[in-house]
Amino acid sequence: MHRTRLSLDGLTMSSDRVAKLRRWILGLITVNFDLEVGPKITSVYPPLSLSHTEAQNIAFSSFPDSSHFDEGSRTHSFRLRLSPTDGEVWDNDTPRPTTVDGFLYGFSCFTRTKDSSSKRGYQQTSTVILTHLAYPSLFYTLISKLGPSFMNHGGPMLEAACHNIASWPDPIPGTTQELGFLGAVVRAEIPEAIETQQGMSALPPAQMGETDIQMLVSICPTEPPILEHFEAVITHLWSIWECVVLSEPLLIFGSSPAATSIAVWWLRDLLRPIPLSGDFRPFFTIHDADHTALVNSRPPKAGLLLGVTNPYFERACKHWPHVLCLGRQLPPREKSEKQGIVVGPTPGWRTTHKRYTSRDHVLLKQLEHACHGSERDKLQASEALRQHFTSRTTALLVPLQRYLQSLIPTPSESRSNVSVPGRLKPFSDAAFFASLKAHGSPLPFKSNAKRREFYERWLRTPAFGLWLARQEEVVQGVLEGMMK
């Protein structure tokens, strides 16, 4: 068969264009499967200095643990810790990656094609966008267009993509940017901050072209509908949401990196506007440098969301309190027919958590109907699901924000305490619970006792400490501005 030349030799960008490119992405990477060593980086464009650990992490994370299809392409994503240089490096004379939060984000298009010249009978290649920005909706869209184009037309497609991105305006928080990319126009809404809960603004249809794509960059892609991955656990979604906001560790098991990475990004989004206090890995492998730190015999770290596909993790994480297995619940007959090829746990929710809040039965009926309905039904139900849980996260904070108002010093108190201006009064658990008892919470708790238990737990989470620190920063800025 004809093989497209995938070499990036001869591709060049001027230093000022590279600087503009790296406002959005760090570079594009190609990874091939080597029969001797497994996945291996074959090129990085523009050149970037990667430590041996980073290069190995990227290579293994860009490939699925196993592929359940003969030919075609699949997209997924991963999150890796930036590692210190450890002697051997990829391209030592080029710049090191810079990050916002100490992590690198990879968006991979894995392609498998038949190839009679290969010992295995097929060619396996991944094209990866490496970035410092946690904008899954944007980069999934880009890699879904770029990966197949690169496989069909070779290196010039990567060069064209890089020059497209270098021509974009700055990624200014709180703006909507028009981004041209390989013949399409992406209207990307950028959040004010990474913890901002995004909601789509109205854009008149007359202003949208046939090739236009509108998106909220910080959420996971809306297609395929997220409901497909959670079909087996729709009655447990309220328990899963509670675990996420209570900084409980979750093992998310799926049949593919495509499934786990989308699910992890979706769960991470539900946490907003609560600050992220734990780690999250859309697709995690046994080759990751953080493997022994995150997966061991000790209790898992608070707030950890770990997306995995390798059956090894079912055994290694058997002591974890919460395991979510994605997919649809198989009917008894279909389950018995597939009994011999099931890998990993069957779809479902295993947990030690006892739910505090009530389900929304109207939404639950809509989800159950959509599971057996059309693609449009699934998309609408998935959007309703996100809106429901993001509103619940916002409602969770209402009693805390109400109590916080009582901690803001009055102008006269601020003037009388000039030595320590602009500080909140100390947070008192007792005073907060008195306020909670008097005013309640918008969340539908099963009982007043459950409500108190829930908030007692939340005040002990690392997320509460981060949230309170952010509120103090905001209030301090306002009060200091008033004193000037």
Side-chain angles (χ1 to χ4, degrees):
M1 61 166 280
H2 169 72
R3 288 184 61 181
T4 304
R5 186 172 179 269
L6 299 180
S7 170
L8 302 189
D9 295 342
L11 303 189
T12 58
M13 283 187 85
S14 62
S15 58
D16 63 318
R17 297 290 284 173
V18 171
K20 288 180 179 296
L21 172 84
R22 288 189 168 142
R23 296 168 303 166
W24 290 89
I25 72 169
L26 299 171
L28 303 176
I29 297 174
T30 59
V31 184
N32 285 342
F33 191 85
D34 186 300
L35 288 175
E36 301 295 327
V37 298
K40 184 179 180 180
I41 290 180
T42 52
S43 57
V44 180
Y45 179 76
L48 189 68
S49 178
L50 299 170
S51 71
H52 173 72
T53 298
E54 289 162 351
Q56 187 175 43
N57 269 7
I58 292 167
F60 278 97
S61 298
S62 69
F63 268 55
D65 283 326
S66 62
S67 53
H68 299 288
F69 58 96
D70 290 330
E71 285 191 285
S73 297
R74 299 288 187 277
T75 57
H76 70 273
S77 59
F78 52 88
R79 183 179 193 245
L80 305 173
R81 191 180 302 279
L82 187 68
S83 306
T85 52
D86 46 9
E88 184 182 350
V89 296
W90 175 282
D91 215 338
N92 195 25
D93 297 328
T94 55
R96 286 281 294 146
T98 55
T99 71
V100 176
D101 56 4
F103 287 87
L104 302 170
Y105 296 87
F107 295 84
S108 173
C109 180
F110 168 75
T111 304
R112 181 172 173 157
T113 54
K114 288 182 179 177
D115 182 4
S116 57
S117 66
S118 170
K119 289 182 180 179
R120 290 196 167 194
Y122 46 81
Q123 177 188 8
Q124 296 182 114
T125 302
S126 283
T127 311
V128 180
I129 294 176
L130 192 69
T131 179
H132 54 295
L133 299 175
Y135 293 163
S137 192
L138 173 63
F139 294 115
Y140 265 107
T141 299
L142 301 190
I143 197 61
S144 296
K145 291 182 67 66
L146 176 60
S149 297
F150 171 61
M151 294 303 297
N152 289 329
H153 304 291
M157 292 307 299
L158 295 194
E159 187 172 30
C162 285
H163 282 285
N164 281 165
I165 297 171
S167 301
W168 292 354
D170 292 342
I172 301 171
T175 62
T176 299
Q177 306 280 16
E178 288 195 4
L179 312 174
F181 189 76
L182 301 183
V185 176
V186 178
R187 297 177 185 268
E189 298 192 26
I190 303 173
E192 287 280 358
I194 200 61
E195 304 305 341
T196 303
Q197 184 59 260
Q198 285 196 276
M200 188 70 79
S201 64
L203 188 68
Q207 296 181 21
M208 293 284 286
E210 288 184 7
T211 59
D212 287 7
I213 305 165
Q214 188 179 13
M215 67 175 62
L216 308 174
V217 299
S218 70
I219 71 172
C220 78
T222 55
E223 295 185 49
I226 196 68
L227 184 60
E228 292 181 356
H229 298 302
F230 289 92
E231 189 173 324
V233 297
I234 55 172
T235 60
H236 301 293
L237 285 168
W238 288 264
S239 174
I240 294 167
W241 170 80
E242 287 183 10
C243 285
V244 170
V245 296
L246 288 170
S247 299
E248 287 290 307
L250 269 70
L251 181 71
I252 296 105
F253 203 107
S255 60
S256 69
T260 65
S261 51
I262 287 292
V264 169
W265 279 111
W266 190 78
L267 292 171
R268 186 266 170 273
D269 178 52
L270 299 189
L271 191 61
R272 295 183 172 104
I274 298 170
L276 180 70
S277 62
D279 196 352
F280 71 98
R281 303 299 179 98
F283 173 52
F284 189 76
T285 77
I286 59 174
H287 302 282
D288 195 290
D290 285 342
H291 173 234
T292 54
L294 298 182
V295 178
N296 48 57
S297 59
R298 298 187 297 275
K301 296 184 178 182
L304 176 60
L305 302 175
L306 200 67
V308 301
T309 62
N310 193 322
Y312 156 83
F313 289 102
E314 186 181 11
R315 302 185 300 273
C317 302
K318 61 184 178 182
H319 60 293
W320 282 42
H322 319 289
V323 178
L324 167 61
C325 187
L326 305 169
R328 64 188 185 94
Q329 196 72 57
L330 297 177
R333 180 180 174 183
E334 193 174 341
K335 189 182 294 184
S336 62
E337 289 173 356
K338 296 190 175 184
Q339 203 67 40
I341 60 170
V342 172
V343 177
T346 55
W349 172 238
R350 175 177 63 76
T351 184
T352 58
H353 182 70
K354 304 298 183 185
R355 189 161 43 85
Y356 296 99
T357 57
S358 300
R359 301 183 183 98
D360 184 316
H361 290 281
V362 174
L363 176 61
L364 184 55
K365 283 186 177 180
Q366 181 185 358
L367 300 176
E368 290 171 339
H369 169 76
C371 286
H372 304 96
S374 65
E375 186 76 2
R376 180 179 175 83
D377 291 334
K378 290 184 174 69
L379 286 168
Q380 290 177 340
S382 295
E383 177 57 25
L385 191 60
R386 177 179 180 263
Q387 289 179 357
H388 172 75
F389 282 117
T390 55
S391 67
R392 283 212 168 186
T393 305
T394 302
L396 182 162
L397 295 172
V398 167
L400 290 131
Q401 290 165 333
R402 181 192 297 119
Y403 169 65
L404 206 67
Q405 294 297 313
S406 69
L407 302 183
I408 300 174
T410 63
S412 60
E413 288 173 325
S414 297
R415 284 192 293 271
S416 64
N417 194 14
V418 180
S419 60
V420 189
R423 294 295 301 273
L424 280 176
K425 299 172 187 175
F427 190 99
S428 163
D429 286 13
F432 166 70
F433 282 112
S435 172
L436 180 66
K437 185 176 181 180
H439 302 287
S441 168
L443 285 176
F445 286 98
K446 291 182 174 183
S447 67
N448 290 343
K450 290 283 188 184
R451 182 181 66 194
R452 183 180 176 96
E453 286 175 31
F454 177 88
Y455 280 102
E456 283 176 341
R457 279 186 62 180
W458 199 74
L459 294 186
R460 295 196 300 268
T461 66
F464 166 67
L466 282 177
W467 176 82
L468 185 59
R470 300 277 171 88
Q471 303 309 304
E472 287 179 331
E473 288 175 9
V474 171
V475 171
Q476 187 171 340
V478 172
L479 292 177
E480 287 179 352
M482 292 170 60
M483 297 292 288
K484 290 178 181 178

